[in-house]
Amino acid sequence: MLRRIASSLTLVATMTFGLLALPRPVVGQTFDLLIEGGSVLDGTGSPAFRADVGVRDGVVVSVGDLSGADATRVINAAGLFVSPGFIDMHSHADRALYAGNAFLRSAPNLVAQGITTLVFGPDGRNPTWPLSDEIAGYRSEGTGPNVVPMVGHGTVRGLVMGDDYERHATESEIAQMAAHVREGMEQGAWGLGAGPEYRPGRFSTTEEIIALGHVVADYDGFYYSHQRSQSPLPLWLTPSIVEEYTPPPTWPSGWRLTATDGMAETIRIGRETGIRVVGTHIKAKGPTTWGQSAIDVMAIDRARAQGVQVYLDQYPYETFGGGSVEVIPKWYYAPPGTDRSGGLDDPDWNRAELRRDPIGSLRAHMADPVLHDEMIADIEFILDLQGGADRHVIVVSPRDPSLVGRTLADLAEERGESPVQTVIHLALEWGTPQLRSGVRFRGIAGSPEDVERYMVQEYTATSTDGGVVVDPGAGRHPRYYGTYPHKIATYVR
Ligand SMILES: [Zn+2]
């Protein structure tokens, strides 16, 4: 079985391969590369030790006192730490590495963080199928970092159910999905990636995922999940939609899914399949969810004590979301009266004709007393979910750059109005019409206590939830560039 996609190795990456066998140093050895005088952190959790590292043909062949050796290239690492390359447990770089040009495939913003291995299948998706085609795409031109291919749960669900996915799968459909998972595992996948908070996965039952997890177990693979909910409500719901939403019978508690339910599902999948399971890019979003880390840690510790192999990964920030926070729910794109029962993630909301006149549409909604109140309630919910008005920082304001860096609460106070009124004012009058909210916000939705409590658990790995970017663009989450340096500088050092 394919276990590693060959790649142009970086220096740190080479250490990943050779550490298991450490030949004793012999005076007179020659290496292609000698990293000398550093403190080696070998990735096993052991304390750093002073050693030289010798590399030959892209493989670490010797670690120890290599003072008598010759090398084509020598790097003096005195005063520095030398470590294996970092593994990014949740990467959206798959499309860039599958089909990008040489520059994108080198993944400069990731490699510069010390990342040398990327886990794909994020949120249950693959850039193409069958998996052998995806792997062939990586192989054809090569990739900068190493690649861990995964079968996406959403991918196989979409293959089997097509557009008719807003329901439970039948036994026969689950069997077909299982066959696709087996095919992917045979072709080199390491396991199953899932995103049951997204379409089409959010219409699945836990039993469906467990059935697929049993296939993964045959290959000693693992499961990782963007969990079914990370907040008081899944991200596709706001209070006004809850009102008219008819939940499909996908979950014992219907739509009322919390972050606790999301974690409990991941643990159950691990318990019933015996495979390693990972709650990926774990977070506690919004003040009403703050403290969730204590609940999660308690649940995980208990499960692990019972032998369930539960893990987490995390990016080390209190702000979430790759781009900017949309504080106005996009149901206002559509004319008043449009059916909202599909949720905020309904593909219908993305139709181009709905986006032609968003300001006119927002005005029409605000003029209708019922829709006005629903819109206000939804915006208040989103502002709170994203940390509160005092934690919404304006990061882009093309029309009035002096707003950049100010918080929504600050602006609202200055104007003598509520934060929601300021949101509406920015969208309708003050901001840039091309931006849905007139400006771009970054919400600081996490608490430092949760970030640290998740981080210090021995079973928590690091991930970027980022991808390859060439131009960061204002509003971009810093995790794309800063995840590993920030973690080391701020939390380790
Ligand atoms: Zn995700």
Side-chain angles (χ1 to χ4, degrees):
M1 186 185 305
L2 178 70
R3 275 302 183 199
R4 211 168 257 126
I5 305 288
S7 69
S8 55
L9 296 172
T10 65
L11 297 183
V12 274
T14 56
M15 287 195 62
T16 320
F17 299 89
L19 277 172
L20 294 180
L22 301 181
R24 301 203 76 74
V26 177
V27 173
Q29 282 194 100
T30 57
F31 301 104
D32 301 328
L33 170 69
L34 185 61
I35 304 170
E36 61 177 22
S39 292
V40 174
L41 285 160
D42 66 7
T44 63
S46 310
F49 56 94
R50 160 76 182 77
D52 309 315
V53 177
V55 177
R56 201 181 294 133
D57 296 329
V59 175
V60 172
V61 291
S62 198
V63 177
D65 180 359
L66 306 178
S67 47
D70 286 326
T72 311
R73 185 177 172 211
V74 177
I75 295 175
N76 180 355
L80 302 175
F81 289 100
V82 180
S83 90
F86 302 138
I87 299 168
D88 180 353
M89 276 299 299
H90 185 120
S91 174
H92 288 274
D94 48 354
R95 271 164 216 284
L97 267 60
Y98 164 69
N101 60 29
F103 183 76
L104 294 174
R105 285 167 178 270
S106 72
N109 61 299
L110 303 176
V111 173
Q113 300 184 43
I115 298 166
T116 55
T117 300
L118 306 173
V119 178
F120 285 164
D123 305 329
R125 303 178 184 122
N126 295 85
T128 190
W129 193 263
L131 192 76
S132 55
D133 281 2
E134 180 181 334
I135 291 172
Y138 302 134
R139 283 193 186 286
S140 66
E141 310 281 335
T143 61
N146 301 305
V147 165
V148 173
M150 300 286 284
V151 175
H153 170 233
T155 303
V156 297
R157 196 165 206 272
L159 282 171
V160 171
M161 301 181 77
D163 290 337
D164 178 27
Y165 64 79
E166 295 187 6
R167 58 175 175 83
H168 290 183
T170 63
E171 288 294 315
S172 138
E173 286 167 332
I174 293 173
Q176 292 172 58
M177 291 179 213
H180 286 304
V181 173
R182 188 170 297 283
E183 171 198 344
M185 295 304 293
E186 287 289 334
Q187 292 173 351
W190 287 51
L192 186 69
E197 197 175 20
Y198 291 117
R199 289 169 181 263
R202 76 166 164 93
F203 298 92
S204 65
T205 58
T206 306
E207 289 75 13
E208 172 183 319
I209 301 177
I210 288 171
L212 306 182
H214 283 306
V215 178
V216 171
D218 290 345
Y219 299 83
D220 191 28
F222 71 99
Y223 169 79
Y224 86 125
S225 178
H226 168 130
Q227 297 180 143
R228 211 172 275 267
S229 179
Q230 311 181 92
S231 322
L233 293 177
L235 51 75
W236 41 273
L237 275 186
T238 51
S240 79
I241 295 182
V242 165
E243 300 276 307
E244 61 192 75
Y245 183 67
T246 315
T250 54
W251 191 262
S253 53
W255 44 263
R256 207 173 282 281
L257 291 169
T258 67
T260 304
D261 296 314
M263 193 72 243
E265 178 180 52
T266 299
I267 291 172
R268 184 184 159 203
I269 292 165
R271 189 186 304 279
E272 295 197 21
T273 61
I275 62 178
R276 285 152 290 174
V277 295
V278 186
T280 195
H281 57 44
I282 194 76
K283 59 178 71 80
K285 189 160 69 179
T288 57
T289 309
W290 289 351
Q292 179 68 32
S293 58
I295 298 169
D296 284 347
V297 165
M298 196 163 27
I300 294 169
D301 284 349
R302 178 188 292 177
R304 289 174 66 94
Q306 296 165 344
V308 186
Q309 302 183 74
V310 191
Y311 296 83
L312 300 174
D313 69 67
Q314 174 203 42
Y315 51 84
Y317 295 95
E318 292 158 35
T319 181
F320 314 122
S324 59
V325 170
E326 294 293 359
V327 295
I328 305 181
K330 62 182 171 184
W331 55 259
Y332 83 83
Y333 279 163
T338 303
D339 177 21
R340 283 180 273 163
S341 60
L344 285 182
D345 61 348
D346 191 327
D348 279 354
W349 297 115
N350 287 320
R351 295 205 313 269
E353 68 265 27
L354 294 185
R355 294 168 171 266
R356 271 193 209 118
D357 182 21
I359 289 183
S361 188
L362 181 57
R363 277 188 206 288
H365 282 80
M366 297 311 284
D368 178 303
V370 173
L371 294 175
H372 171 279
D373 290 354
E374 289 186 352
M375 181 61 76
I376 298 296
D378 276 5
I379 294 173
E380 282 175 345
F381 174 81
I382 293 171
L383 288 180
D384 183 61
L385 185 66
Q386 293 290 344
D390 58 328
R391 294 162 67 99
H392 275 70
V393 182
I394 295 177
V395 289
V396 173
S397 178
R399 188 175 274 185
D400 184 354
S402 75
L403 298 181
V404 172
R406 300 191 61 183
T407 65
L408 182 58
D410 175 33
L411 286 181
E413 192 183 327
E414 185 178 283
R415 292 174 50 80
E417 61 189 12
S418 72
V420 176
Q421 286 172 316
T422 304
V423 166
I424 300 293
H425 183 74
L426 281 164
L428 292 180
E429 319 279 353
W430 200 0
T432 304
Q434 291 73 27
L435 299 175
R436 200 159 100 206
S437 302
V439 297
R440 284 209 183 108
F441 291 106
R442 176 147 290 284
I444 316 296
S447 79
E449 292 81 5
D450 284 309
V451 170
E452 292 186 27
R453 191 180 289 114
Y454 284 128
M455 187 183 292
V456 299
Q457 307 308 318
E458 60 169 6
Y459 43 78
T460 302
T462 311
S463 58
T464 65
D465 194 12
V468 177
V469 287
V470 178
D471 173 0
R476 173 78 69 178
H477 195 292
R479 70 197 191 208
Y480 284 75
Y481 288 82
T483 295
Y484 292 78
H486 176 62
K487 184 165 183 175
I488 292 168
T490 305
Y491 295 97
V492 179
R493 202 160 60 194

